[in-house]
Every structure is written in structure tokens, then in C-alpha cells.
Amino acid sequence: MGLHGRSVRQDVRELGDLLGDAVERHASTDAFEAVEDARTTAIDYRQGDATDRETLRRVIRNSDEDVSSSLARAFTTYFELVNLAEERERVRALRESEDEGTLADSLPAAVEGLADAGADAGDVLDVLDAVRVVPTFTAHPTEARRKTVKATLVRVTDLLEELDQHRLTRRERANKHARLDALVESLWTTKQVRDRRPEPFDEARNVQWYLENVIFDQVPEVYARLEDALDEQYENPPNVPEILDFRSWAGSDRDGNPFVTPDVTSKTLERQRDIVVERYREALDDISGVLSQDGTRMDLASVENSLDSDAERVPSLVSGARERYPDEPLRQKVLVMWRRLGRITDVRPGGYDDYEEFLDDIDVVEDALRANDADHLADEYIDPLERQVRTFRFHLASLDLRDHQEMHTGALEEALEREGVDYAAMDEDERVEFLTEGVLQEEQVLDLSDTDGLSDDAARVLSRFDALGGWQREYGAEAIDSYCISMTERPSHVLEVLFFADQAGVVSLPDHCGLDVVPLLETESALSNARETMETLFDNPAYSAAVEQRGDVQEVMLGYSDSNKENGFLAANWELNEAQRDLAAITDDLGVELRLFHGRGGSISRGGGPMNEALLALPPETVTGEVKFTQQGESIAETYGNPYIARRNMEQMLNAQIRARYDAVTRGDADDVNDRGAAIDDDWIDAMETMAGAAREAYRALLETDGFVQYFEQATPITVIEELNMGSRPASRSEERSVEDLRAIPWVFSWTQSRCIVPGWFGLGTGIEAYLDSGGDVETVREMYEEWPFFRTTLDNASMALARTEMEIAAEYAALADEDLRERVFPTVEDEYERARDVVADVSGRDELITRDWLRESLDRRNPYVDPLNFLQVHLLRQTHRTEEAERTLRLTVKGIAAGMKNTG
């Protein structure tokens, strides 16, 4: 008998039937018939049983507002349910592969690979000591579902899992089906569109949910898997250090979002501490139930000594514990720990000063158990808690602050003007000199608490830094110790943040620096000038002292989204690859360790795609072991919403980083960071330079086509997306209408909605053809695909974006644009799409764009049901005067297509 009793087809069929029943019960007869007609006609066309989509168009045209609303609601709800069914199928596949020992990209596979390569236990420890994978959750507005809807979907997920068990009685199964029917009915009758934008604290709470309810419990499981794998391969396996960490921007990312105030950050820090402390108390409750050992029959002197020490600080807690659990010292100790945790957040004395003090007490209990041969108790109950405390400490996830460099510069100009300093008139060298002196001198230059007479933006900057010192004192420096600077272009942009931190008392050089200052390089000019910028900083006495105090580690963030929007898919990927190598060379030359922070989005065009493949495709010389990357919006829900999938994702990331780090330190020319190694042919580099240059030119030519912005506005639902209540941050950086001003998320979101994912492939075909036309050999490009992880991953990601593109549907959207605009833009897009498809097929040697069977099946399952939503959206966009009901339906089509495509921006 197998592990599961159902299949994805059964789940989809039954959920679809339940939805159909709900529509029939609650919608009008006309609406129910329209939904059925739209569904069947779309399927007929996709299966070749209809020659055109005219019947589907007619269904849409003949639908009144009430019927149109039901159409949008029905197909949107269908995709919410299908997504759960496919998620359940993925869990089935994971469990079965794990049970059979065939799970690829797992931690056992990583350890086995190292052992097969000849790595001894010492080599493995060296690798693990260097590895640290740091997912960083952002609050970027790409989550299209309401919290209420997500809560109902979680219940459906639980029921699908319960139904998947074999040993259910007929009555039990009937009860679960009845409950499932009720939940589907609830989804149908629940409002799908938010009435208001979420506030920043709502977004922080959303991220905290995944940390608290999924990731917290899965982290010990991941470590246990790695430890078991090491036990199998090595007689004396190394101890596993901390290799996972979690950070967040939710509640602290101020870039472009004036609603992220110091008060929001304070509430976020407070709630995260409350959450994690309560989880530790729950764990101690569980532990107390099994630590009922008789102290008169075990040697627990070490525990008694620890309790005596506690009695000197909190005598009432110890006396109460001894009275409650006489002759049970372990239980007494756990109760004291539980009560001390409760005093962290109140005015009573005796709470833990920091998480390390709590860890010391955990060690007391663990050591006592092991000394009395109770290793199983220690392994099952104490080790998991210790892993959680080392990972989440007393802050759950460290917060990164972030703001745009213009905000810091502007705030300094205003604040210094009051002090008689004309910062605005200084050139770059003068600014660097002034900021350096300000950081190194003992006298304070600014009173950050004095914001009188400043603009709102400047006041916010000063208030944020003024609060930073208090946050670190209250919650610990590790709780908020990183500051990212968007659109960093010059050294002064970095020094400005260091200067503000110094004025706040967070930095006091040369003895202390409590903040990582992280430049975010995202424009072509910033990336090309990275060496000059970083060399200037490392030669600067103030900044070099700061880096030294941070362990000689320099974190640099790379912006995938804006780089793609500026240069196009292929050129951006190549430029970012080369920028990473340049940064590795710079830091290596200066004796500083590089920690790359990859600003990836969920979509292919924003650096998305399988994370383990992306990590393995990084230039070897950049793999220092530590790697940090953003995860955002719907990709958080998709990756961390289900415990099995969350654990699998963490394992895959660690598998990739362990392998990549071992490969990096063992490659023959690892001593020369400027040498790519024998695996990368010089001809490949020349080919990429030619391809990237031509691809960039083609992409820029598209964006610079006369009327392109107007075409984009007319042929995509960008104006609708800008009005969606998806996130607290505005969709544009200013009121101007330009590609440069538009944020990357709505840019990609709009193209995805219109099924024409230009940011995911445009320029690729032209780039490769340009190389071939210049005398290049197609066999060289095929070798690149087969042997170079960077190129293979880039091409495969483009292939996925091409597979999700539907040019027939895109033509429907193009028809919305004025004829002259359409004729200038759309044929170019069509030609490049065909060119890209052809080169991908030629280079990869395969007929299908998608090689993964499950993904192809998923697309085949979804496409007929996305089509009606696209046609309905186009129909509504064509209307020049929409009623309020039509506007709601239009917004719902956006959410439905996002669910169907499993992607927003």
C-alpha cells in the first residue's frame, strides 16, 4: 500500500465539482451557464475541437455585470483551489521520494556527494563553518490574496491532507467531504478584493505568520536531516554549526514607502520578540512533561547548582519551583526558565538579559541528561529547542533597514544647513572628506531628535536613526543591525548612512560599529562603477575601521529587478554575473570577505526561478559560504506556506550552497580570484559579451520606440494594478509616467497579466543571433548550455517565461492600443518572441520549452481556465466608462490571472 490514497487529478476534479455546485447554488442560472460555456469553449479551442475563440468572445460580450462578476469569481476561486491541489501533489512526490531514498538536491545527497569526492570530516566541517544561508523576507506588494481568503485555503489544505490518508471510515470520509464542501462555499461567498490597502504592520504580521507557524518548527528538522546524513557517511561526524538565518524587511523597509515609520518598526520588533518568547515557553511546557526524573535516583548536582545560582537572582522563582516539583530538579529548572522568559517583557526583575543566557540554561539541562545516559530525551526534546534559540534568538528574524539614497542626502542637506554647513554645494570629494571627519571626531554634529523646520522626508530619516540606538538596546544589536541603501551610486551615499549611525551612537569608531552598511547596486552605472566606489570606501579611514569592526565582511546587495528593467533580461543577467566577479576581486584584493545579497523577486524577470539552481550558477569565486537573498510576495506563501515544502526549500538551498562552497575551495585555481578556471572557456566569455550587447541594444530600442509608454499603458492593465490594494507601498516612485519611474513589480506584473512576459526573454533571440551572425558557432553556444551553469540557468529561466507567454492572448491586449502605437511596438515583440523560441530550441536541442513533466501538466491544466479571465479583462479594459461593479470585476480578473499564472511581479 502506498503512502497516499489520492491523486492531483482526483483533487482537481472533486474541488472543481464542489465549486460548480456552489456556483449553481448561489449564482443566477445565467451566470452558471456562462461559466460552463466559457469553460467548455476555452477547453475546446485548446484541444483543437474549435477553430477559433469567437464563441468565448460571444459569451463574454453577452454577459451583463452580474454574470461578468460571477465569471471572474468562479475562475479566480478555481485557481485558488487548483493551486492547493498541485501543492498537495508536490507533497506526495516529496514524501514518496524521501521514503524511497531518491530525493534529489537533499541534504543527504549533498553529504554523500562530498564523501564521494573524497572530503573527510575536517573538510566537511570547514565547508559548514563557512556556509550560512539567509532568506530575507520583504513586504513588496506582490501578494494578491486577502488574508481571510488565505485562512480559508489553509483549512482546505488541511482537509486535503486528511483525505489523503488510507485508513478513514466511510463516515469519516463523508464528514470531511461535507466540511470541504462548506469551505468551498465559503470561498465563493467571500469578498476576494480588499477594500483597503494593507498597512506596513499588516505586512509585517503576514511575514511573522510564516516564521512562527512553519519555519520555526521546520528548522530543527532540517538540522536533524543533516546530522543524520553525516552520521551515515562519517565515523566521527563534525558538529553542525549554525547554517540558517532569517531576516526581514517587513516593517523596516522605508524605500518608497512613507508609511513605514519608526513606530511601525518598534511594533514589529516588539511583536517578533513576543512571538518567539512565547514559542520557547510552549516548548518548555512540552519538555516539562517528560523531565519528571526522580532527583534521588540520578546525579543532578549540576542542575541543583544552577538552581542555587538562580536563587541568588530570583529567589521567589526557585523556591516556588522547588515547592511545586519536590525531588524533580530538572522540572524545577525548566519551570524557572519558563518564568524567566515571561519576565523579559515586563517590569519584574529576573528576566533573561539575552538569548545566550537562555542557551546556557538549556545546556545545563542537556548536559545533565546526557551525563545520566538520557541521550534520547536530549536528542528529541532539548536539541530542537537549542537549534531554534540559536536560529531565532530573542528577535525571530533580524530586521534590515532600507531607504533610497536621495532621502539620506536630502536629509543631510536640510539638517546641516541649520548648522551653517552647505552640504548641497559640496562636490563628491568634499562630501567624502566632510563625512569622514564627522564620523571620526568625538563631537556630535547633529541632534537627531531636533526635527523642527525640516521637511517630512528629512524628519523621518533623522527620527529613524534617533530610534535605532534605542532599538538595539531594547532588543539586542542583532535584532536590527543592517542598513541597505537603494540606488547607491557614489561613496558618499554609503558614508552618509555611516555618519547618521555615528550621530545616533550606534557607531563609535574605531572601537565599535553596530551596523552593516549595505550598498544596493542596481543600475548599469552603479554596477560598472562598483570597483571605484568600493576602493574609495575601503581606502577611507572611517569606513575601513567600520568594516574591520564588522569582522572584515562587506555585504553588497545586487538589484535584479531594476537592472532587468533598465537593460533587459540577458544583458542584466550577464552584467550582474560580471559585477559579482568584480566585487569578489575587489574584496579579495583588499583582504575583505564579500557577502552577496541577491535582490531577487519571484518572477524570472526579477531574478526568480529555482533558488538552488541559481545558487549553483553563481560564479565560484563569489561563493564565500554566506549568501543572502530576498523572498517576497506570493513566493513566500508558495515556498513557506506548507511545512513539507518549506523544509524541502531549505534543504535545497543548503544542498546548493554546501556543494558550491566545496567546489569553490577545491577548484584548481582558487588562489586567483580573477581566474574563472578551466571550466569556463574564454570563447564563451566573448560570446556572452556579444550576446549581451546586442540584447541590450534591442531591448533599449524597444523601450525608446516613440510612444512605447503609451502603448504599455493601453495594452496592459497597469492602471488597474496601480490601484489595487495589494501592498502599502505606492506603485511608482513619483507622479511621472516613465518606465524608469515605474517600480519593477508592477512593470512585470502588467506584462504577466497580458500573457506577454517581455521582461523574461526580450532580447535573448537577438543576442544569440548577433553572436552567430558575427561568425560565432552554434556548437559553442550548445557547449555553453551543456557545461556552464550560469548560461544553462539563464536559458532555462527564459524558456519558462517563454512557455508562460501566449502571443495569441497578447494580441488581444495589443488590440486595445491605438493602431499606430500597436503597429510600432507589437510586431517587434512578436518577432522577438519567435526568435527567442527558435534559439532556445536550437541551443537546448529539445522541442518543448518546458522539460519538467509536472510543470507542463500544470500549464496544460491551467491555460484553458486562464483564457476566459484574459478575455473578460480585455473586454472590461476596452470600456471607457466602467461602473463601480465593473471596476470590482476588473480588479478581480487581475487576482484571478495572478492565481492562474502563479505569479504577479
Side-chain angles (χ1 to χ4, degrees):
M1 183 179 291
L3 296 176
H4 310 101
R6 293 168 67 89
S7 68
V8 65
R9 290 185 178 180
Q10 181 180 358
D11 286 339
V12 169
R13 184 180 66 252
E14 291 185 6
L15 290 170
D17 288 345
L18 291 175
L19 176 60
D21 293 343
V23 175
E24 191 170 17
R25 286 195 301 269
H26 294 280
S28 65
T29 302
D30 287 345
F32 175 73
E33 291 177 352
V35 169
E36 284 301 295
D37 288 345
R39 182 180 71 86
T40 55
T41 57
I43 292 173
D44 286 345
Y45 180 78
R46 287 282 181 172
Q47 292 181 344
D49 296 328
T51 58
D52 56 41
R53 288 186 164 108
E54 188 53 41
T55 305
L56 177 58
R57 287 191 182 89
R58 186 166 57 252
V59 171
I60 300 298
R61 281 198 307 267
N62 294 340
S63 298
D64 60 24
E65 286 193 347
D66 179 67
V67 171
S68 293
S69 176
S70 293
L71 278 168
R73 178 180 293 274
F75 287 103
T76 298
T77 306
Y78 173 80
F79 283 122
E80 299 285 14
L81 295 171
V82 166
N83 288 344
L84 297 186
E86 290 189 351
E87 179 183 88
R88 183 62 202 161
E89 180 68 5
R90 186 177 175 192
V91 170
R92 290 188 190 102
L94 290 175
R95 294 184 74 228
E96 289 169 0
S97 296
E98 185 174 4
D99 191 51
E100 296 165 0
T102 59
L103 196 61
D105 302 327
S106 64
L107 285 171
V111 173
E112 184 178 356
L114 264 60
D116 290 345
D120 60 26
D123 296 329
V124 175
L125 180 59
D126 289 341
V127 170
L128 295 178
D129 276 338
V131 165
R132 198 172 189 87
V133 173
V134 188
T136 302
F137 303 116
T138 80
H140 288 172
T142 63
E143 173 58 78
R145 290 177 298 191
R146 288 182 64 206
K147 183 178 179 180
T148 302
V149 172
K150 287 196 293 184
T152 303
L153 292 173
V154 168
R155 295 181 179 182
V156 174
T157 298
D158 293 341
L159 277 172
L160 288 179
E161 182 174 356
E162 292 168 12
L163 284 166
D164 214 4
Q165 308 306 314
H166 284 289
R167 294 183 175 275
L168 288 176
T169 66
R170 283 192 295 272
R171 179 62 180 168
E172 289 170 338
R173 192 171 297 279
N175 287 342
K176 294 186 187 302
H177 274 291
R179 180 62 59 89
L180 194 60
D181 194 356
L183 290 174
V184 172
E185 186 171 60
S186 175
L187 278 175
W188 175 255
T189 54
T190 296
K191 184 184 295 185
Q192 291 271 349
V193 180
R194 290 191 184 104
D195 290 326
R196 66 171 180 87
R197 284 185 179 272
E199 297 177 356
F201 191 58
D202 297 327
E203 294 168 334
R205 289 168 64 96
N206 180 59
V207 168
Q208 291 162 2
W209 187 92
Y210 295 101
L211 287 161
E212 175 187 4
N213 294 288
V214 180
I215 297 171
F216 185 87
D217 293 318
Q218 293 307 312
V219 161
E221 294 290 331
V222 172
Y223 279 103
R225 290 269 290 168
L226 180 55
E227 288 166 343
D228 290 345
L230 290 168
D231 285 341
E232 289 183 13
Q233 295 293 333
Y234 295 97
E235 185 175 346
N236 295 303
N239 292 324
V240 179
E242 275 61 62
I243 55 177
L244 271 174
D245 199 7
F246 297 91
R247 302 187 72 95
S248 176
W249 285 6
S252 58
D253 177 13
R254 171 61 179 77
D255 181 21
N257 194 340
F259 308 115
V260 179
T261 63
D263 182 59
V264 169
T265 305
S266 294
K267 289 169 62 178
T268 300
L269 287 164
E270 180 180 17
R271 189 170 191 272
Q272 289 187 175
R273 182 176 64 183
D274 291 347
I275 286 171
V276 77
V277 167
E278 186 57 34
R279 289 304 313 264
Y280 295 151
R281 297 186 92 199
E282 291 172 3
L284 290 178
D285 277 335
D286 192 34
I287 289 170
S288 178
V290 297
L291 295 190
S292 53
Q293 288 71 32
D294 186 348
T296 64
R297 303 180 63 181
M298 299 178 73
D299 181 6
L300 298 174
S302 60
V303 180
E304 293 283 8
N305 291 337
S306 179
L307 285 166
D308 290 341
S309 296
D310 291 335
E312 296 177 6
R313 184 172 182 178
V314 280
S316 62
L317 296 189
V318 177
S319 61
R322 283 173 165 161
E323 182 178 345
R324 182 171 180 178
Y325 296 121
D327 297 325
E328 294 180 0
L330 285 169
R331 243 183 188 172
Q332 294 168 14
K333 180 63 182 176
V334 169
L335 179 57
V336 171
M337 293 163 65
W338 186 88
R339 288 176 170 168
R340 289 190 67 189
L341 284 172
R343 294 191 175 194
I344 290 175
T345 58
D346 64 28
V347 297
R348 294 174 296 173
Y352 286 108
D353 292 330
D354 52 50
Y355 78 94
E356 291 177 337
E357 194 177 3
F358 181 41
L359 276 173
D360 289 341
D361 275 353
I362 293 174
D363 288 341
V364 168
V365 174
E366 180 180 13
D367 292 346
L369 288 172
R370 296 196 187 282
N372 286 276
D373 296 326
D375 292 309
H376 293 302
L377 275 172
D379 291 343
E380 293 300 317
Y381 286 89
I382 308 302
D383 277 358
L385 175 60
E386 182 174 1
R387 284 297 184 194
Q388 288 166 329
V389 175
R390 291 188 183 280
T391 302
F392 302 101
R393 300 178 285 280
F394 279 168
H395 52 257
L396 188 65
S398 302
L399 295 186
D400 286 6
L401 291 162
R402 185 175 77 130
D403 207 346
H404 196 289
Q405 58 86 6
E406 288 181 351
M407 292 295 176
H408 311 130
T409 302
L412 264 181
E413 289 174 355
E414 291 187 40
L416 289 172
E417 186 178 12
R418 299 186 310 184
E419 307 298 326
V421 177
D422 192 358
Y423 187 75
M426 296 181 189
D427 63 23
E428 176 65 13
D429 290 341
E430 290 170 334
R431 290 185 177 191
V432 168
E433 182 180 359
F434 172 81
L435 295 167
T436 303
E437 291 178 2
V439 171
L440 294 178
Q441 71 182 29
E442 291 186 9
E443 296 80 7
Q444 193 165 355
V445 180
L446 296 176
D447 179 0
L448 298 179
S449 64
D450 181 9
T451 60
D452 289 344
L454 299 180
S455 67
D456 290 344
D457 285 338
R460 289 189 189 101
V461 172
L462 266 65
S463 297
R464 183 187 319 132
F465 280 97
D466 190 38
L468 179 55
W471 291 331
Q472 291 199 348
R473 287 188 295 274
E474 173 70 18
Y475 300 101
E478 289 179 312
I480 184 163
D481 63 349
S482 184
Y483 199 114
C484 185
I485 310 161
S486 298
M487 291 293 175
T488 300
E489 296 282 346
R490 297 190 292 271
S492 64
H493 296 158
V494 178
L495 291 173
E496 285 167 353
V497 169
L498 188 67
F499 174 84
F500 274 124
D502 172 77
Q503 301 302 293
V506 173
V507 171
S508 181
L509 297 174
D511 301 320
H512 174 69
C513 182
L515 196 69
D516 283 325
V517 184
V518 183
L520 169 48
L521 309 178
E522 45 197 330
T523 64
E524 183 179 1
S525 61
L527 292 168
S528 61
N529 293 329
R531 174 172 284 276
E532 180 181 351
T533 298
M534 300 313 299
E535 285 183 344
T536 299
L537 288 170
F538 292 149
D539 286 340
N540 182 277
Y543 195 76
S544 61
V547 172
E548 182 179 359
Q549 287 299 313
R550 299 301 291 177
D552 283 323
V553 176
Q554 173 63 57
E555 182 174 310
V556 179
M557 184 174 183
L558 298 174
Y560 287 69
S561 303
D562 284 287
S563 179
N564 179 291
K565 186 158 65 75
E566 182 182 19
N567 300 298
F569 175 76
L570 186 63
N573 274 275
W574 179 240
E575 191 166 63
L576 287 163
N577 186 82
E578 295 304 274
Q580 293 173 59
R581 296 189 63 255
D582 288 344
L583 289 166
I586 295 165
T587 51
D588 185 69
D589 290 344
L590 299 170
V592 175
E593 182 176 316
L594 173 66
R595 176 169 61 233
L596 282 174
F597 184 5
H598 301 274
R600 297 176 177 273
S603 62
I604 295 299
S605 39
R606 297 186 54 241
M611 182 54 66
N612 58 314
E613 293 179 10
L615 293 175
L616 288 170
L618 295 176
E621 58 269 44
T622 70
V623 185
T624 59
E626 289 194 60
V627 65
K628 187 175 172 184
F629 49 87
T630 53
Q631 295 201 290
Q632 57 192 258
E634 80 284 344
S635 67
I636 297 176
E638 185 176 342
T639 305
Y640 296 101
N642 183 286
Y644 291 103
I645 294 172
R647 185 171 73 239
R648 168 65 169 163
N649 182 66
M650 286 185 269
E651 278 205 47
Q652 285 182 305
M653 292 186 297
L654 287 169
N655 168 289
Q657 195 65 2
I658 288 169
R659 291 165 55 197
R661 179 58 185 167
Y662 182 72
D663 290 344
V665 299
T666 56
R667 68 191 187 103
D669 35 43
D671 58 328
D672 183 0
V673 76
N674 294 299
D675 192 335
R676 296 176 186 269
I680 309 299
D681 194 302
D682 288 341
D683 289 342
W684 300 354
I685 310 304
D686 294 338
M688 273 308 309
E689 291 288 351
T690 300
M691 293 176 194
R696 181 187 292 106
E697 287 182 14
Y699 177 78
R700 293 306 308 176
L702 175 69
L703 267 57
E704 291 162 10
T705 300
D706 185 33
F708 175 80
V709 172
Q710 289 84 353
Y711 172 83
F712 176 66
E713 284 187 314
Q714 294 177 18
T716 77
I718 178 60
T719 55
V720 183
I721 287 169
E722 288 177 321
E723 297 301 319
L724 284 176
N725 293 322
M726 287 176 59
S728 64
R729 190 172 73 164
S732 295
R733 291 186 171 93
S734 73
E735 296 302 319
E736 297 178 10
R737 173 59 81 201
S738 67
V739 173
E740 290 74 20
D741 181 66
L742 190 69
R743 292 193 179 278
I745 292 169
W747 164 254
V748 176
F749 195 174
S750 301
W751 287 114
T752 303
Q753 286 278 305
S754 65
R755 310 294 292 279
C756 186
I757 310 178
V758 165
W761 45 259
F762 195 93
L764 175 68
T766 292
I768 294 179
E769 280 193 359
Y771 165 71
L772 297 176
D773 291 344
S774 66
D777 184 359
V778 69
E779 291 303 323
T780 299
V781 187
R782 289 170 180 162
E783 285 176 8
M784 293 164 64
Y785 180 76
E786 290 296 326
E787 301 176 26
W788 192 5
F790 159 76
F791 189 71
R792 181 171 60 253
T793 300
T794 300
L795 211 67
D796 285 348
N797 284 341
S799 184
M800 282 194 282
L802 286 164
R804 287 188 165 96
T805 296
E806 293 278 342
M807 291 309 296
E808 274 192 60
I809 301 292
E812 300 289 330
Y813 285 84
L816 295 170
D818 295 340
E819 185 177 358
D820 60 329
L821 294 176
R822 181 172 65 252
E823 291 306 313
R824 284 202 295 269
V825 177
F826 191 62
T828 303
V829 174
E830 280 188 304
D831 289 346
E832 186 61 23
Y833 169 77
E834 295 298 333
R835 194 175 291 115
R837 281 187 63 104
D838 290 345
V839 298
V840 166
D842 193 21
V843 171
S844 66
R846 61 175 185 255
D847 297 329
E848 298 283 346
L849 287 168
I850 297 297
T851 58
R852 295 176 173 89
D853 290 340
W854 65 268
L855 182 54
R856 190 185 307 111
E857 290 173 7
S858 176
L859 290 174
D860 290 344
R861 183 182 301 120
R862 291 165 181 278
N863 280 333
Y865 293 83
V866 182
D867 294 348
L869 286 169
N870 282 124
F871 276 83
L872 177 57
Q873 187 177 91
V874 169
H875 174 70
L876 293 170
L877 287 171
R878 187 171 283 116
Q879 297 176 10
T880 55
H881 299 287
R882 289 185 291 271
T883 65
E884 187 174 326
E885 176 66 18
E887 287 287 353
R888 280 196 295 268
T889 300
L890 180 56
R891 292 195 295 272
L892 186 54
T893 65
V894 172
K895 295 179 182 293
I897 295 169
M901 298 288 287
K902 295 189 74 173
N903 199 261
T904 55

